[in-house]
Amino acid sequence: MARVYPLERYRNIGIIAHIDAGKTTTTERILFFTGKTHRMGSVDDGTTVTDWMEQERERGITIVSAAVSAEWKDYQINIIDTPGHIDFTAEVQRSLRVLDGGMVVFDAVQGVEPQSETVWRQADRYAVPRICFVNKMDRLGASYERTIESIKQRLGANPIAMQLPIGLEASFRGVVDLMCQKAIYWDDDLGKEPREAEIPADMRGQAAEARRTMIERISELDDDLTLKYLEGEEIGVEEMKTALRKAVLDNKAAPVFCGSSLRNKGVQIVLDAIIDYLPSPADIPPVTGTDPNKGEMIELPAEDSAPLSALVFKIVTDPYVGRLAYFRVYSGTISQGQMVINPTKNKRERIGRLIRMYADRREDITEVRAGDIAAVLGLKDSFTGDTLCDNKLVVLENITFPDPVISVAIEPKTVADQSRMGEALKKLSEEDPTFRVRSDENTGQTIISGMGELHLDVIVDRMMREFRVQANVGKPRVAYRESITRLVPEINYRYIKQTGGHGQYGHVVISLEPGERGSGVVFENKIVGGAIPREYISAVEKGIKEAAESGVLAGYPVTDLKVTLFDGSFHEVDSSEMAFKMAATFAFKEGVQKGGAVLLEPIMKVEAIVPEDYVGDIMGGLNGRRAVIRGMEPRTGNAQAVSAMVPLGEMFGYATEIRSSTQGRGVFSMEFDHYAPVSESAAKEILAS
C-alpha cells in the first residue's frame, strides 16, 4: 500500500497542558476544521471525540491519551490529546516518548500553571520541539503579554510572539499576524472562514513595534539573518520562517499564538503553524537503539526500506476485541500477518489486525510505514516500552515511569467476584505502568497502588463498570519508603547450611551508604581476584534487590542507598546461586539496621489559588498539615497563588477543606516532588498505625 503523503508531510504531535487549559476543546476544533467531524463536541456536554470513556465524560477531564488523525492542506497530522491531571502523568510521558512535536496550551488568565511546568519538563527530557497556544483570550482577566512573560520566567523558555490579539476579554475578535502584517477576524460563530483585513489604524504603531521585536528575536537565531539585520537589509517572510523552523527543531525557540478554542478563533492559524514549524519524522535524527547481543549502538533512519524498529507505548484492553497495543514505527514497515521479534522479552510475535485509531473508533489497515502511529491486535507478550523489530535486532530506549505514591486495600464482595477481580486487576495493570497490584504477606490483603486518589478512584470505577466486579475499598494509605542515614563500612555475612549431601555456602562482604535523592537501590561490584566467581555476582545483586522490597522498620521498600560488594569467599562444592542470594539478603537487612534506618514519606508540591481575603486561613490550614510554605505570587483578579511542600499523608480531605474555607472559590493542584525523612513524632504515629 503506497503512502498517501510523503514522509515530509506527516506530523506526529501531542497537545499537552495543565488541567482545564483547553486541550480537548482545541483537539475538537482541529477535527472540525479539518473536516474529520461535522459538529463540534463539548467537554461540558460529554460529546467530545477524544474524551470517550464514561469516566471522562462524567468528570469533564481527560484520563487516557487518545490518538486521532486529520488532514490539513495535504499534510497528515497524527494528534494525541493527553490528560492534564497530575495523577495521569504517565499518559503524557509515554505519548511524548513517541511524538515528534508538541503544542503546549496555556490558559490566558492563569498563565503557566504547575502541571504546565511538569509537561514542559517532560518535553525537555525527550527534546520534543514545541509551539505555544495561549487559549481563552475571551475570558475575563486574560493577558497575552503576561502569559508570554510567565513562559519566559517560569519555564526558562524562549517564547516569540507571532501575533497580537485584537480586543481583549469579551471584545476579543481576531489577531494581527505579525509575520504577514495583516489582521485576521472570525466573523461567523463557527469560525470556518477567517477574514483577512488591514491592521486596525489604532494598532498599527503597536503592531510595527511588535514586528520589529519579532524580527530581531528571529534574526538572533540565525547568523546570516543577524548580519542582514545589523546591516539594515529587508528580511523576507520565507527567510524568517525557515530560520524559526530550524530554531524550533533545535529547541532554541517556541513561537506563541493566541485565540479562543471555545469561540472557534485562532485554531486554523495554529494548524498552519504545526505544518510550518513542527518536525516531520524525516526532520528528527535517526532513532538509536542497542544491539542486544553485542551491546553496540545502532542508528536507523526514518525510511520504509530500513530495518524495522517500532516501540509499543500503550496497551488498552478493549472489551470487544481484546488487547490493543499502540505503537510508533521509527524505521521500516509493519504488515498484517508479519512475524516480528520482541528482543526485550526474546519472543516472536505475529502481527494480527492493524488498526488506525480514531479515539475509540477504528479503521482496518494493511501496513504501517516509518514515521506513523497505529495499533495492533493479537500481541501476546509485548507491553508498554517493548521494542518490535525484524531480523536486525535492536532494543529502543524504554519508557521510565514514576513510582506510585498512594495505596488502598481492595477485596471482592463475593466468591464469584474473586476470580473476576484478579483478571480485571491484571488487565488494568498491563494498561497502566503507574498502577501496581501486590498481595500483603502479613494481612493477605490485595493492595493496589497509584499516583493519587483520583487515579485509584478511576481504576476502581473502571473495574466495577467494565469488568463487573463488586469490591470493598479501604481508606487510602501513603506509600512510605525506608532508607539509611549513615555509612555502614562493612557487613561480613556467611550463609552456611549443612544438610545430608551437599551443603550451602555463600560469603559476602558489603558496605552501605546513603544515596542521592531518587537514586533507588544502586549495586556496585568491586570484587577483584575472583574472591566470588562471576556467575554468583548476579545472585548477590538479586538477593539485595529482593531484600530491598521490604525494610526493617515497617516492611516498606528500601530506597536511595548504594550497596558495594567488595569481598567474600566461596566453596568449590557447596556454593550455589541460592546460597549467595541468601547471604546477600541477610547482609543487606543487617546493614540497613546498622545504618540508622529512617522512614521516608512522599512530599507533594502544592499550589493553592485563593482570593486574597482567604490567604491567612489557607496558610494556617497548610501549616497545620506540616507544610513548608515556599512563597506567594499574585494572580489575576485579586487572587494569590500559595506554593508549599506538604507530606502526602496530610493532604487527604484537603479538597473539601479548601472549598469550605474559601466559600468554594479556592482551587489547588498537587504533584509528587520527592521523598523526605519523616520527623520522629510523625514516624512514631505512622509505625504505631
Side-chain angles (χ1 to χ4, degrees):
M1 186 176 77
R3 279 188 186 279
V4 180
Y5 301 108
L7 193 61
E8 293 75 20
R9 288 180 172 265
Y10 276 76
R11 297 289 184 271
N12 294 317
I13 68 151
I15 300 186
I16 55 178
H18 184 90
I19 190 169
D20 208 28
K23 296 178 300 301
T24 301
T25 303
T26 303
T27 307
E28 200 65 28
R29 297 316 181 255
I30 287 174
L31 294 175
F32 178 75
F33 291 128
T34 55
K36 274 288 181 180
T37 56
H38 301 294
R39 66 174 184 82
M40 296 180 198
S42 161
V43 172
D44 295 334
D45 297 340
T47 55
T48 59
V49 171
T50 52
D51 283 357
W52 54 271
M53 285 171 64
E54 286 179 52
Q55 291 84 353
E56 293 178 312
R57 290 182 168 171
E58 285 172 2
R59 290 171 168 84
I61 59 169
T62 303
I63 292 170
V64 295
S65 51
V68 290
S69 295
E71 289 82 37
W72 181 253
K73 296 185 177 176
D74 293 330
Y75 282 77
Q76 176 161 322
I77 305 174
N78 295 325
I79 302 166
I80 295 185
D81 175 27
T82 64
H85 200 286
I86 189 64
D87 282 19
F88 310 106
T89 186
E91 290 286 329
V92 185
Q93 197 137 321
R94 57 177 163 197
S95 300
L96 286 171
R97 170 67 180 84
V98 297
L99 293 169
D100 302 326
M103 176 172 136
V104 190
V105 182
F106 296 95
D107 183 325
V109 180
Q110 302 295 347
V112 174
E113 298 174 271
Q115 185 66 358
S116 314
E117 286 189 57
T118 304
V119 296
W120 192 273
R121 304 283 173 245
Q122 286 174 320
D124 279 342
R125 182 178 168 196
Y126 293 115
V128 175
R130 279 145 277 176
I131 61 172
C132 303
F133 179 56
V134 180
N135 190 25
K136 304 191 179 184
M137 287 299 299
D138 58 319
R139 288 264 309 277
L140 189 66
S143 171
Y144 183 56
E145 292 76 14
R146 189 182 62 242
T147 302
I148 291 175
E149 189 57 32
S150 70
I151 293 171
K152 192 186 297 180
Q153 298 298 330
R154 294 187 66 171
L155 303 178
N158 180 22
I160 298 178
M162 307 301 292
Q163 299 171 336
L164 283 179
I166 300 174
L168 272 180
E169 300 175 350
S171 63
F172 173 73
R173 60 192 185 280
V175 298
V176 173
D177 185 327
L178 299 175
M179 191 74 85
C180 302
Q181 301 182 79
K182 61 191 177 191
I184 301 170
Y185 298 95
W186 288 268
D187 298 324
D188 61 309
D189 288 343
L190 288 178
K192 284 193 86 168
E193 299 295 333
R195 174 175 63 86
E196 292 183 8
E198 292 294 314
I199 297 171
D202 60 341
M203 288 188 70
R204 282 176 193 160
Q206 184 191 357
E209 182 57 38
R211 189 169 195 271
R212 267 196 302 277
T213 304
M214 180 194 74
I215 293 171
E216 185 181 336
R217 299 281 303 284
I218 294 173
S219 301
E220 289 169 358
L221 303 167
D222 183 277
D223 292 343
D224 293 339
L225 291 193
T226 304
L227 206 61
K228 264 189 158 185
Y229 181 77
L230 292 173
E231 290 174 357
E233 290 183 41
E234 184 71 28
I235 298 173
V237 169
E238 287 309 314
E239 286 180 292
M240 283 192 281
K241 280 189 173 181
T242 304
L244 183 54
R245 177 180 172 78
K246 185 176 184 305
V248 171
L249 299 193
D250 293 339
N251 275 303
K252 291 179 180 172
V256 186
F257 303 85
C258 67
S260 168
S261 296
L262 189 64
R263 301 282 171 253
N264 313 317
K265 293 175 169 62
V267 177
Q268 294 97 328
I269 298 178
V270 175
L271 277 166
D272 290 339
I274 287 168
I275 288 165
D276 288 342
Y277 303 116
L278 291 180
S280 73
D283 292 319
I284 60 169
V287 68
T288 56
T290 312
D291 183 321
N293 298 323
K294 299 176 185 172
E296 298 170 354
M297 293 299 288
I298 301 172
E299 274 197 358
L300 294 166
E303 295 170 2
D304 298 345
S305 56
L308 172 65
S309 65
L311 187 76
V312 177
F313 68 94
K314 183 176 164 75
I315 298 292
V316 175
T317 303
D318 189 297
Y320 302 109
V321 294
R323 193 150 61 82
L324 268 173
Y326 284 73
F327 63 93
R328 155 81 189 260
V329 179
Y330 284 94
S331 62
T333 305
I334 281 187
S335 305
Q336 201 167 328
Q338 179 182 347
M339 287 298 291
V340 296
I341 299 167
N342 177 345
T344 323
K345 303 274 171 54
N346 199 20
K347 299 272 188 181
R348 296 179 76 84
E349 297 264 32
R350 179 176 293 281
I351 299 296
R353 273 176 70 192
L354 284 172
I355 296 164
R356 165 113 34 235
M357 291 304 295
Y358 184 68
D360 62 333
R361 302 203 290 278
R362 28 189 120 54
E363 169 198 336
D364 282 296
I365 51 177
T366 56
E367 67 176 13
V368 186
R369 293 171 175 257
D372 213 346
I373 291 171
V376 60
L377 273 168
L379 299 187
K380 291 184 174 64
D381 301 297
S382 300
F383 296 95
T384 300
D386 286 354
T387 303
L388 303 176
C389 61
D390 50 22
N391 293 326
K392 183 170 178 64
L393 293 181
V394 61
V395 177
L396 302 178
E397 182 195 349
N398 205 332
I399 313 172
T400 54
F401 297 101
D403 287 330
V405 295
I406 189 169
S407 304
V408 297
I410 186 167
E411 56 184 36
K413 282 189 175 176
T414 67
V415 175
D417 286 320
Q418 186 142 12
S419 60
R420 285 206 299 269
M421 188 176 94
E423 185 65 23
L425 292 176
K426 179 173 178 283
K427 287 180 176 175
L428 290 166
S429 62
E430 285 174 358
E431 280 188 30
D432 186 347
T434 57
F435 172 61
R436 311 271 171 86
V437 183
R438 66 180 175 86
S439 183
D440 189 309
E441 291 176 14
N442 301 321
T443 62
Q445 288 178 305
T446 299
I447 307 294
I448 59 173
S449 307
M451 299 306 295
E453 287 180 272
L454 178 62
H455 186 199
L456 292 181
D457 186 32
V458 168
I459 290 279
V460 171
D461 193 28
R462 285 189 62 195
M463 192 175 73
M464 291 177 174
R465 288 195 200 188
E466 291 174 30
F467 299 95
R468 293 179 173 79
V469 176
Q470 294 302 310
N472 297 317
V473 183
K475 286 183 178 177
R477 299 194 313 177
V478 177
Y480 293 102
R481 297 282 186 270
E482 296 180 24
S483 192
I484 59 172
T485 53
R486 58 177 177 260
L487 171 70
V488 183
E490 184 178 313
I491 296 290
N492 192 328
Y493 194 93
R494 277 184 172 81
Y495 178 76
I496 303 172
K497 203 166 187 184
Q498 284 304 131
T499 55
H502 286 313
Q504 295 284 350
Y505 181 89
H507 174 211
V508 297
V509 185
I510 62 172
S511 67
L512 280 72
E513 59 185 291
E516 291 179 15
R517 182 188 289 171
S519 61
V521 178
V522 178
F523 174 77
E524 189 175 351
N525 172 28
K526 282 194 175 176
I527 291 290
V528 289
I532 297 176
R534 276 170 59 184
E535 63 263 29
Y536 297 140
I537 302 295
S538 61
V540 173
E541 183 177 1
K542 193 174 179 186
I544 286 166
K545 293 283 171 75
E546 283 186 12
E549 288 174 10
S550 62
V552 298
L553 291 175
Y556 292 112
V558 182
T559 188
D560 297 352
L561 81 168
K562 182 181 176 184
V563 182
T564 306
L565 172 68
F566 61 89
D567 203 0
S569 63
F570 71 103
H571 189 278
E572 291 284 358
V573 177
D574 290 350
S575 284
S576 66
E577 284 193 8
M578 178 55 72
F580 274 99
K581 183 180 164 188
M582 295 303 293
T585 299
F586 288 121
F588 180 81
K589 295 273 188 192
E590 187 182 320
V592 172
Q593 279 177 327
K594 289 182 176 177
V598 66
L599 205 59
L600 303 178
E601 63 183 344
I603 304 296
M604 311 303 283
K605 186 163 71 174
V606 174
E607 184 175 86
I609 300 171
V610 296
E612 201 161 1
D613 302 349
Y614 301 104
V615 167
D617 295 342
I618 290 302
M619 290 179 80
L622 286 171
N623 284 326
R625 292 173 180 264
R626 294 196 285 131
V628 176
I629 307 293
R630 298 174 71 202
M632 285 195 321
E633 64 176 52
R635 288 289 170 90
T636 312
N638 196 30
Q640 291 282 343
V642 179
S643 58
M645 290 291 186
V646 194
L648 173 62
E650 302 287 346
M651 288 303 292
F652 296 136
Y654 188 64
T656 307
E657 182 186 308
I658 193 171
R659 277 199 294 268
S660 60
S661 59
T662 61
Q663 297 180 349
R665 294 163 66 193
V667 293
F668 82 102
S669 62
M670 70 174 182
E671 61 181 289
F672 171 72
D673 192 78
H674 65 277
Y675 272 93
V678 179
S679 68
E680 239 177 276
S681 57
K684 279 178 186 169
E685 279 182 41
I686 293 162
L687 294 175
S689 66

